[in-house]
Amino acid sequence: MAEVVIVENPAAAGALVAAEIGRLIARRADAVLGLATGSTPLPVYSALRSQLEGVDVSHVRGFALDEYVGIDPSHPESYRSVITREVVEPLGLTPSLVHVPDGSLDGIEQAGAEYDAKIRAAGGVDLQLLGIGTDGHIGFNEPGSSFASRTRVKTLTEQTREDNARFFDSPDDVPMHCITQGLGTILEARHLVLLAYGEGKAQAIADAVEGPLSAILPGSAIQLHPHATVVVDEAAASKLTLADYYRYTFANKPAWQGI
Ligand code: PGA
């Protein structure tokens, strides 16, 4: 099962995961990071600024999980813009080595297969950051997504559009379609790190970690992965049946193991 680490707050989650990414880059200067957008990974990116100070990150590669379809890439809320603003620029990554699925309408039919091919050509993702939606999605794999799915176009649920309306001037401006790495694509990453904070994510986390494996809860796909780490604050952990066991396990884990 996934390793669950319960931390005090989002900043502690960010520090823990940033340290792991630091170890990865120290081992492998051209590490391939799987990048996520939304609010959840921001504490990781913020902790990485100090974690990677003085480290040569010019060879680090990155692949974002998803993008809106039909959005102008220069729109401030396109995931291309978000990744540039939150990750590439502050960390000083090489822009040409950081990829985001191409959501432009021209060529959208092939964009998914091309993106999967690019990930494969890079040798796969070393560490994939994941958030989880209140409806249990990871990436933009909405409920009902196949566990074998590849990068493709999906229709966002009304719930997800409402959740993301805060980033746009009006809820109607949230695009209806997205291009997202599939669950099958995500499961090929060598290490999955799923983060969540707050009570609003508690049910999705309990279902993903301890619930039945089910397409209705795409996050439950992490149970199929041999190395998945779930980092949550107390509120997001509040519906986990085995919370005390996870605390006990992590408190007694040898430091050399990392996460
Ligand atoms: P959030 O979204 O990080 O903005 O909460 C997570 C997700 O939808 O995957």
Side-chain angles (χ1 to χ4, degrees), residues 185-207:
T185 315
I186 291 170
L187 287 172
E188 285 169 4
R190 286 180 274 282
H191 183 192
L192 302 183
V193 179
L194 172 63
L195 298 116
Y197 331 112
E199 219 181 312
K201 298 289 175 76
Q203 191 61 52
I205 283 294
D207 290 342

Side-chain angles (χ1 to χ4, degrees), residues 38-40 131-133 137 166 201:
S39 317
T40 304
I132 189 164
H137 70 220
R166 66 189 194 280
K201 298 289 175 76

